[in-house]
mmCIF file of all heavy atoms in Angstrom:
data_model
loop_
_atom_site.group_PDB
_atom_site.id
_atom_site.type_symbol
_atom_site.label_atom_id
_atom_site.label_comp_id
_atom_site.label_asym_id
_atom_site.label_seq_id
_atom_site.Cartn_x
_atom_site.Cartn_y
_atom_site.Cartn_z
ATOM 1 N N ASN A 1393 -31.183 129.472 62.687
ATOM 2 C CA ASN A 1393 -30.149 130.077 63.265
ATOM 3 C C ASN A 1393 -29.376 129.173 64.205
ATOM 4 O O ASN A 1393 -28.139 129.187 64.355
ATOM 5 C CB ASN A 1393 -30.491 131.353 64.030
ATOM 6 C CG ASN A 1393 -30.895 132.392 62.925
ATOM 7 O OD1 ASN A 1393 -30.520 132.392 61.811
ATOM 8 N ND2 ASN A 1393 -31.563 133.409 63.488
ATOM 9 N N PHE A 1394 -30.159 128.297 64.919
ATOM 10 C CA PHE A 1394 -29.520 127.291 65.803
ATOM 11 C C PHE A 1394 -28.612 126.416 65.147
ATOM 12 O O PHE A 1394 -27.474 126.074 65.485
ATOM 13 C CB PHE A 1394 -30.631 126.516 66.560
ATOM 14 C CG PHE A 1394 -30.055 125.293 67.364
ATOM 15 C CD1 PHE A 1394 -29.374 125.495 68.429
ATOM 16 C CD2 PHE A 1394 -30.344 124.018 66.782
ATOM 17 C CE1 PHE A 1394 -28.918 124.320 69.178
ATOM 18 C CE2 PHE A 1394 -29.872 122.871 67.464
ATOM 19 C CZ PHE A 1394 -29.155 123.077 68.655
ATOM 20 N N ALA A 1395 -29.064 125.883 63.880
ATOM 21 C CA ALA A 1395 -28.244 125.013 63.084
ATOM 22 C C ALA A 1395 -27.102 125.701 62.411
ATOM 23 O O ALA A 1395 -26.032 125.196 62.307
ATOM 24 C CB ALA A 1395 -29.133 124.324 62.080
ATOM 25 N N LEU A 1396 -27.326 126.921 61.908
ATOM 26 C CA LEU A 1396 -26.252 127.674 61.262
ATOM 27 C C LEU A 1396 -25.147 128.205 62.127
ATOM 28 O O LEU A 1396 -24.081 128.497 61.713
ATOM 29 C CB LEU A 1396 -26.827 128.783 60.403
ATOM 30 C CG LEU A 1396 -27.633 128.293 59.204
ATOM 31 C CD1 LEU A 1396 -28.350 129.558 58.587
ATOM 32 C CD2 LEU A 1396 -26.743 127.656 58.221
ATOM 33 N N LYS A 1397 -25.522 128.429 63.420
ATOM 34 C CA LYS A 1397 -24.599 129.025 64.383
ATOM 35 C C LYS A 1397 -23.237 128.175 64.269
ATOM 36 O O LYS A 1397 -22.117 128.798 64.347
ATOM 37 C CB LYS A 1397 -25.213 129.064 65.768
ATOM 38 C CG LYS A 1397 -24.260 129.746 66.772
ATOM 39 C CD LYS A 1397 -25.001 129.969 68.103
ATOM 40 C CE LYS A 1397 -25.563 128.671 68.742
ATOM 41 N NZ LYS A 1397 -25.961 128.899 70.094
ATOM 42 N N ARG A 1398 -23.414 126.851 64.210
ATOM 43 C CA ARG A 1398 -22.219 126.032 64.236
ATOM 44 C C ARG A 1398 -22.399 125.036 63.021
ATOM 45 O O ARG A 1398 -22.647 123.865 63.275
ATOM 46 C CB ARG A 1398 -21.955 125.340 65.510
ATOM 47 C CG ARG A 1398 -21.461 126.270 66.589
ATOM 48 C CD ARG A 1398 -20.959 125.445 67.775
ATOM 49 N NE ARG A 1398 -20.380 126.293 68.781
ATOM 50 C CZ ARG A 1398 -20.869 126.469 70.064
ATOM 51 N NH1 ARG A 1398 -21.893 125.767 70.344
ATOM 52 N NH2 ARG A 1398 -20.255 127.281 70.855
ATOM 53 N N ARG A 1399 -22.536 125.465 61.882
ATOM 54 C CA ARG A 1399 -22.911 124.732 60.697
ATOM 55 C C ARG A 1399 -22.141 123.356 60.614
ATOM 56 O O ARG A 1399 -22.770 122.349 60.477
ATOM 57 C CB ARG A 1399 -22.737 125.604 59.458
ATOM 58 C CG ARG A 1399 -23.259 124.770 58.220
ATOM 59 C CD ARG A 1399 -22.870 125.655 57.035
ATOM 60 N NE ARG A 1399 -23.444 125.063 55.871
ATOM 61 C CZ ARG A 1399 -24.401 125.504 55.062
ATOM 62 N NH1 ARG A 1399 -24.893 126.701 55.390
ATOM 63 N NH2 ARG A 1399 -24.797 124.911 54.009
ATOM 64 N N ARG A 1400 -20.812 123.450 60.672
ATOM 65 C CA ARG A 1400 -20.031 122.233 60.433
ATOM 66 C C ARG A 1400 -20.252 121.314 61.624
ATOM 67 O O ARG A 1400 -20.333 120.066 61.459
ATOM 68 C CB ARG A 1400 -18.478 122.616 60.366
ATOM 69 C CG ARG A 1400 -18.197 123.268 58.986
ATOM 70 C CD ARG A 1400 -16.713 123.628 58.957
ATOM 71 N NE ARG A 1400 -15.813 122.424 59.045
ATOM 72 C CZ ARG A 1400 -15.475 121.642 58.025
ATOM 73 N NH1 ARG A 1400 -15.921 121.841 56.842
ATOM 74 N NH2 ARG A 1400 -14.620 120.615 58.308
ATOM 75 N N VAL A 1401 -20.311 121.763 62.797
ATOM 76 C CA VAL A 1401 -20.588 120.994 64.020
ATOM 77 C C VAL A 1401 -21.921 120.278 63.790
ATOM 78 O O VAL A 1401 -22.054 119.042 64.110
ATOM 79 C CB VAL A 1401 -20.433 121.746 65.376
ATOM 80 C CG1 VAL A 1401 -20.947 120.999 66.500
ATOM 81 C CG2 VAL A 1401 -19.112 122.339 65.554
ATOM 82 N N ALA A 1402 -22.961 121.050 63.444
ATOM 83 C CA ALA A 1402 -24.338 120.513 63.320
ATOM 84 C C ALA A 1402 -24.347 119.417 62.303
ATOM 85 O O ALA A 1402 -24.815 118.323 62.496
ATOM 86 C CB ALA A 1402 -25.292 121.596 62.838
ATOM 87 N N MET A 1403 -23.623 119.612 61.183
ATOM 88 C CA MET A 1403 -23.643 118.541 60.118
ATOM 89 C C MET A 1403 -22.862 117.317 60.580
ATOM 90 O O MET A 1403 -23.326 116.220 60.243
ATOM 91 C CB MET A 1403 -23.041 119.200 58.880
ATOM 92 C CG MET A 1403 -23.873 120.140 58.136
ATOM 93 S SD MET A 1403 -25.618 119.517 57.846
ATOM 94 C CE MET A 1403 -25.435 118.047 56.930
ATOM 95 N N HIS A 1404 -21.782 117.515 61.260
ATOM 96 C CA HIS A 1404 -20.997 116.434 61.822
ATOM 97 C C HIS A 1404 -21.793 115.609 62.717
ATOM 98 O O HIS A 1404 -21.715 114.295 62.798
ATOM 99 C CB HIS A 1404 -19.584 116.845 62.396
ATOM 100 C CG HIS A 1404 -18.581 117.209 61.273
ATOM 101 N ND1 HIS A 1404 -17.654 118.150 61.554
ATOM 102 C CD2 HIS A 1404 -18.400 116.842 60.042
ATOM 103 C CE1 HIS A 1404 -16.891 118.341 60.489
ATOM 104 N NE2 HIS A 1404 -17.369 117.527 59.550
ATOM 105 N N ILE A 1405 -22.524 116.256 63.592
ATOM 106 C CA ILE A 1405 -23.327 115.563 64.565
ATOM 107 C C ILE A 1405 -24.557 114.880 63.876
ATOM 108 O O ILE A 1405 -24.879 113.711 64.150
ATOM 109 C CB ILE A 1405 -23.777 116.412 65.772
ATOM 110 C CG1 ILE A 1405 -22.677 116.919 66.632
ATOM 111 C CG2 ILE A 1405 -24.751 115.705 66.604
ATOM 112 C CD1 ILE A 1405 -22.883 117.957 67.696
ATOM 113 N N TYR A 1406 -25.118 115.586 63.064
ATOM 114 C CA TYR A 1406 -26.338 115.193 62.316
ATOM 115 C C TYR A 1406 -25.969 113.891 61.480
ATOM 116 O O TYR A 1406 -26.830 112.912 61.333
ATOM 117 C CB TYR A 1406 -26.969 116.237 61.451
ATOM 118 C CG TYR A 1406 -28.336 115.856 60.859
ATOM 119 C CD1 TYR A 1406 -29.467 115.780 61.542
ATOM 120 C CD2 TYR A 1406 -28.405 115.448 59.629
ATOM 121 C CE1 TYR A 1406 -30.597 115.374 61.119
ATOM 122 C CE2 TYR A 1406 -29.531 114.954 58.953
ATOM 123 C CZ TYR A 1406 -30.722 114.933 59.714
ATOM 124 O OH TYR A 1406 -31.844 114.495 59.201
ATOM 125 N N ASN A 1407 -24.818 113.915 60.892
ATOM 126 C CA ASN A 1407 -24.491 112.779 59.899
ATOM 127 C C ASN A 1407 -23.736 111.757 60.694
ATOM 128 O O ASN A 1407 -22.880 110.981 60.104
ATOM 129 C CB ASN A 1407 -23.598 113.359 58.796
ATOM 130 C CG ASN A 1407 -24.459 114.115 57.873
ATOM 131 O OD1 ASN A 1407 -25.583 113.762 57.566
ATOM 132 N ND2 ASN A 1407 -23.981 115.248 57.475
ATOM 133 N N SER A 1408 -23.962 111.546 62.023
ATOM 134 C CA SER A 1408 -23.305 110.563 62.803
ATOM 135 C C SER A 1408 -24.316 109.705 63.569
ATOM 136 O O SER A 1408 -25.575 109.918 63.505
ATOM 137 C CB SER A 1408 -22.429 111.299 63.846
ATOM 138 O OG SER A 1408 -23.213 111.740 64.988
ATOM 139 N N SER A 1409 -23.835 108.757 64.262
ATOM 140 C CA SER A 1409 -24.779 107.884 65.078
ATOM 141 C C SER A 1409 -25.405 108.606 66.253
ATOM 142 O O SER A 1409 -26.201 108.153 66.956
ATOM 143 C CB SER A 1409 -24.022 106.694 65.620
ATOM 144 O OG SER A 1409 -22.912 107.106 66.521
ATOM 145 N N ASN A 1410 -24.981 109.901 66.451
ATOM 146 C CA ASN A 1410 -25.544 110.766 67.378
ATOM 147 C C ASN A 1410 -26.738 111.689 66.940
ATOM 148 O O ASN A 1410 -27.013 112.745 67.600
ATOM 149 C CB ASN A 1410 -24.500 111.655 68.020
ATOM 150 C CG ASN A 1410 -23.371 110.820 68.671
ATOM 151 O OD1 ASN A 1410 -23.614 110.374 69.822
ATOM 152 N ND2 ASN A 1410 -22.370 110.742 68.051
ATOM 153 N N ARG A 1411 -27.141 111.384 65.735
ATOM 154 C CA ARG A 1411 -28.210 112.158 65.100
ATOM 155 C C ARG A 1411 -29.464 112.361 65.973
ATOM 156 O O ARG A 1411 -29.971 113.467 66.059
ATOM 157 C CB ARG A 1411 -28.713 111.514 63.817
ATOM 158 C CG ARG A 1411 -29.832 112.231 63.105
ATOM 159 C CD ARG A 1411 -30.278 111.603 61.832
ATOM 160 N NE ARG A 1411 -29.205 111.619 60.914
ATOM 161 C CZ ARG A 1411 -29.348 111.473 59.614
ATOM 162 N NH1 ARG A 1411 -30.580 111.122 59.131
ATOM 163 N NH2 ARG A 1411 -28.314 111.667 58.801
ATOM 164 N N ALA A 1412 -29.805 111.407 66.633
ATOM 165 C CA ALA A 1412 -30.951 111.409 67.514
ATOM 166 C C ALA A 1412 -30.904 112.453 68.562
ATOM 167 O O ALA A 1412 -31.850 113.179 68.932
ATOM 168 C CB ALA A 1412 -31.379 110.105 68.143
ATOM 169 N N ILE A 1413 -29.673 112.632 69.183
ATOM 170 C CA ILE A 1413 -29.413 113.679 70.176
ATOM 171 C C ILE A 1413 -29.715 115.056 69.537
ATOM 172 O O ILE A 1413 -30.398 115.932 70.080
ATOM 173 C CB ILE A 1413 -27.989 113.641 70.694
ATOM 174 C CG1 ILE A 1413 -27.704 112.379 71.436
ATOM 175 C CG2 ILE A 1413 -27.688 114.890 71.379
ATOM 176 C CD1 ILE A 1413 -26.285 112.040 71.642
ATOM 177 N N TYR A 1414 -29.239 115.257 68.316
ATOM 178 C CA TYR A 1414 -29.418 116.611 67.722
ATOM 179 C C TYR A 1414 -30.843 116.818 67.266
ATOM 180 O O TYR A 1414 -31.490 117.870 67.528
ATOM 181 C CB TYR A 1414 -28.547 116.688 66.390
ATOM 182 C CG TYR A 1414 -28.397 118.107 65.881
ATOM 183 C CD1 TYR A 1414 -27.465 118.897 66.584
ATOM 184 C CD2 TYR A 1414 -29.100 118.553 64.796
ATOM 185 C CE1 TYR A 1414 -27.357 120.306 66.112
ATOM 186 C CE2 TYR A 1414 -28.964 119.889 64.387
ATOM 187 C CZ TYR A 1414 -28.116 120.698 65.099
ATOM 188 O OH TYR A 1414 -27.893 121.968 64.514
ATOM 189 N N GLU A 1415 -31.514 115.784 66.763
ATOM 190 C CA GLU A 1415 -32.911 115.906 66.338
ATOM 191 C C GLU A 1415 -33.829 116.194 67.455
ATOM 192 O O GLU A 1415 -34.725 116.937 67.483
ATOM 193 C CB GLU A 1415 -33.433 114.653 65.640
ATOM 194 C CG GLU A 1415 -32.690 114.435 64.288
ATOM 195 C CD GLU A 1415 -33.244 113.179 63.527
ATOM 196 O OE1 GLU A 1415 -33.603 112.217 64.209
ATOM 197 O OE2 GLU A 1415 -33.122 113.217 62.281
ATOM 198 N N GLN A 1416 -33.529 115.603 68.633
ATOM 199 C CA GLN A 1416 -34.306 115.769 69.895
ATOM 200 C C GLN A 1416 -34.321 117.230 70.363
ATOM 201 O O GLN A 1416 -35.362 117.873 70.618
ATOM 202 C CB GLN A 1416 -33.720 114.833 71.025
ATOM 203 C CG GLN A 1416 -34.572 115.024 72.377
ATOM 204 C CD GLN A 1416 -33.837 114.161 73.384
ATOM 205 O OE1 GLN A 1416 -32.675 113.935 73.385
ATOM 206 N NE2 GLN A 1416 -34.656 113.770 74.333
#
Side-chain angles (χ1 to χ4, degrees):
N1393 290 340
F1394 170 74
L1396 287 176
K1397 183 170 59 174
R1398 291 193 174 115
R1399 183 185 186 116
R1400 289 181 58 86
V1401 171
M1403 289 310 301
H1404 284 150
I1405 294 172
Y1406 187 78
N1407 291 318
S1408 76
S1409 60
N1410 297 285
R1411 175 182 291 195
I1413 293 169
Y1414 197 76
E1415 288 178 338
Q1416 179 185 29

